[in-house]
Amino acid sequence: AETRRYPEAAAAFERAVALDPGQVAGRFNLGRVYLELKELAKAREQFAAALARDDGFEPAAVALGYTYELEGKFQEAREVYEKALGADEHSRDLRERLAIVHLRRRELDAALSEYRKILADDPDNGAIAVRVAQISLEKGDVAAAVPLLRKALAADPAGKVGQDARYLLALALE
């Protein structure tokens, strides 16, 4: 959508929500429009309202947490993600956002734990393997990083994951 159309979209969703205040999808979509307009407080309000009506609506939890991240409210983002993970502990989106919050807070062990959980659910995910390896290297654990990097490189030798793995492997082995 074009930026100049977002105000029109906001007005349409505001009318829909006014007609049916309990509408989860309408509130979520209104929040997304506000997010695009960089009206973070309004976006947060709509995502929270959608979650209040359906606390299992994962897209609203991801969006609310992300809005908190944009506001620099990492503790609040963490709480949203952790609560939502209670309903679906295998949600990659929630777990990855939580890992990013931990990284922003320099909580390497917690971030590594979250990425390892994602990797346990999806052991062939080279991009996540590279992230686990990168954090392991940052913590000085070369022995944990090298096998992950070799596997990621073998799976995608010519792609972005392979390039990242090759670079980190060179650093780890020098």
Side-chain angles (χ1 to χ4, degrees), residues 6-59:
Y6 286 129
E8 293 172 29
F13 282 119
E14 286 168 353
R15 285 190 301 274
V17 167
L19 291 172
D20 182 4
Q23 188 181 98
V24 173
R27 288 193 177 276
F28 172 72
N29 286 316
L30 179 56
R32 288 181 51 185
V33 171
Y34 285 144
L35 197 57
E36 289 294 328
L37 290 169
K38 309 286 190 255
E39 295 184 31
L40 301 182
K42 288 182 177 180
R44 181 175 13 89
E45 179 183 317
Q46 294 306 316
F47 296 139
L51 278 176
R53 285 155 182 80
D54 181 357
D55 63 357
F57 188 48
E58 183 178 314

Side-chain angles (χ1 to χ4, degrees), residues 22-105:
Q23 188 181 98
V24 173
R27 288 193 177 276
F28 172 72
N29 286 316
L30 179 56
R32 288 181 51 185
V33 171
Y34 285 144
L35 197 57
E36 289 294 328
L37 290 169
K38 309 286 190 255
E39 295 184 31
L40 301 182
K42 288 182 177 180
R44 181 175 13 89
E45 179 183 317
Q46 294 306 316
F47 296 139
L51 278 176
R53 285 155 182 80
D54 181 357
D55 63 357
F57 188 48
E58 183 178 314
V62 171
L64 178 60
Y66 182 68
T67 303
Y68 278 130
E69 287 182 62
L70 292 174
E71 294 176 312
K73 298 177 179 178
F74 300 115
Q75 181 59 37
E76 290 87 344
R78 177 183 174 181
E79 290 169 5
V80 168
Y81 297 142
E82 287 176 343
K83 181 178 179 183
L85 278 165
D88 180 8
E89 67 182 53
H90 296 285
S91 169
R92 177 177 171 185
D93 291 338
L94 289 166
R95 196 156 304 282
E96 192 161 10
R97 293 302 329 159
L98 180 57
I100 290 167
V101 166
H102 287 308
L103 286 175
R104 288 181 163 200
R105 294 171 56 125

